[in-house]
Amino acid sequence: MILKQDAESPAEATSKGPPKPRLTAGQQSVLDVLQHQSQPLSAQALHGLMRRQQPIGLATIYRALDALKLLGLVQHRVTLTGETLYSAVEHDHHYLTCLQCGVSVPVDTCPVKELEAQLQGASSFRIYYHTLEFFGVCDQCEV
Amino acid sequence: MILKQDAESPAEATSKGPPKPRLTAGQQSVLDVLQHQSQPLSAQALHGLMRRQQPIGLATIYRALDALKLLGLVQHRVTLTGETLYSAVEHDHHYLTCLQCGVSVPVDTCPVKELEAQLQGASSFRIYYHTLEFFGVCDQCEV
DNA sequence: TCAGGAATGATAATCATTATCATATTGCAA
DNA sequence: TTGCAATATGATAATGATTATCATTCCTGA
Ligand SMILES: [Zn+2]
Ligand SMILES: [Zn+2]
Ligand SMILES: [Zn+2]
Ligand SMILES: [Zn+2]
């Protein structure tokens, strides 16, 4: 039993951009978890978290994440191990990752927002989010 | 039969940073192809390209790409379909990608180089490259 | 209330990447 | 130069995250 709560639902009041369709139960549920999460989560991690409170199938989570990306509500990034991590678009977090041991440290700056605004105007795209990640080798792994 | 050609081999002369080990035949071969390629390639695409001239196993290509990343000679990015694309580090290309149809358009600016230099100094990492990609919906796919 | 369409869930299928392991090559010491 | 240990290679099996499938359930609007 999943309750719809559109308290934080997409801008329908301040109709900025095309009207967003109502979210399905699964989408609402997934979005809610991501919005209250400080760290990005994989689909399977979401499944593990959600299944106790609100039983939901893994396939539904994948579908919800896809839909939420398309609505500009969720963003993704891919780890070195190949799993995709999702977070609410509001969270703009970037990392510096070691190619050897995989350790990631957060980068608190983001020099991309301005360029994103420029591109938004110059291109025919509606831009929702960006990924920015640095790769190298940490001193632990240095030869 | 793969010939070693270290014309463009890693900085050994201007010993900047730790001395890089010699490349194996497979690594040299893969690096050479990537350096003469203007577009990023997947491991399997590389295999398709290389197997005619220089027969080489797919596993070897994956291993070479891993090693070359660790040496700071090759960079990677992951497409929406989950395949990893590789290119020589010299090429700093970024894209704006549609989440719906997958079309990618190049972005010619990069506001990250400066931040990368800062991080290089501030962190204990040796930073080799970065990924930067914008995601949204193209006008074709717009509702 | 009922039919058509969309959403869901369990599970099978996909497919890029990794692990395995036997063989080939390389670098180096004797 | 020869012999050997360490490393690299290739074919292939195994892995694992994601996607496709399909039967069932839920919604919605006539
Ligand atoms: Zn490390
Ligand atoms: Zn950012
Ligand atoms: Zn599109
Ligand atoms: Zn760049």
Side-chain angles (χ1 to χ4, degrees), chain A residues 43-44 59 62-63 82-84:
Chain A
Q44 308 206 35
Y62 276 108
R63 282 187 287 241
E83 52 178 11
T84 303

Side-chain angles (χ1 to χ4, degrees), chain B residues 64-137:
Chain B
L65 289 169
D66 263 347
L68 291 170
K69 276 197 304 180
L70 239 26
L71 291 172
L73 298 172
V74 161
Q75 63 178 307
H76 84 283
R77 80 182 182 101
V78 179
T79 70
L80 282 184
T81 64
E83 52 177 11
T84 303
L85 304 184
Y86 302 85
S87 55
V89 280
E90 304 86 74
H91 306 160
D92 183 48
H93 292 155
H94 304 301
Y95 301 90
L96 171 49
T97 300
C98 176
L99 291 165
Q100 177 78 87
C101 67
V103 62
S104 280
V105 301
V107 173
D108 52 2
T109 331
C110 174
V112 181
K113 298 200 179 78
E114 191 178 343
L115 174 57
E116 182 167 310
Q118 289 177 25
L119 286 174
Q120 182 77 262
S123 73
S124 58
F125 276 64
R126 172 184 305 277
I127 301 180
Y128 289 136
Y129 63 93
H130 60 263
T131 64
L132 169 62
E133 187 158 5
F134 297 89
F135 295 96
V137 178

Side-chain angles (χ1 to χ4, degrees), chain A residues 18-37:
Chain A
K20 313 273 175 131
R22 291 222 171 284
L23 302 185
T24 68
Q27 290 164 11
Q28 272 291 349
S29 192
V30 168
L31 179 59
D32 192 59
V33 173
L34 286 182
Q35 285 177 335
H36 292 84
Q37 202 72 19

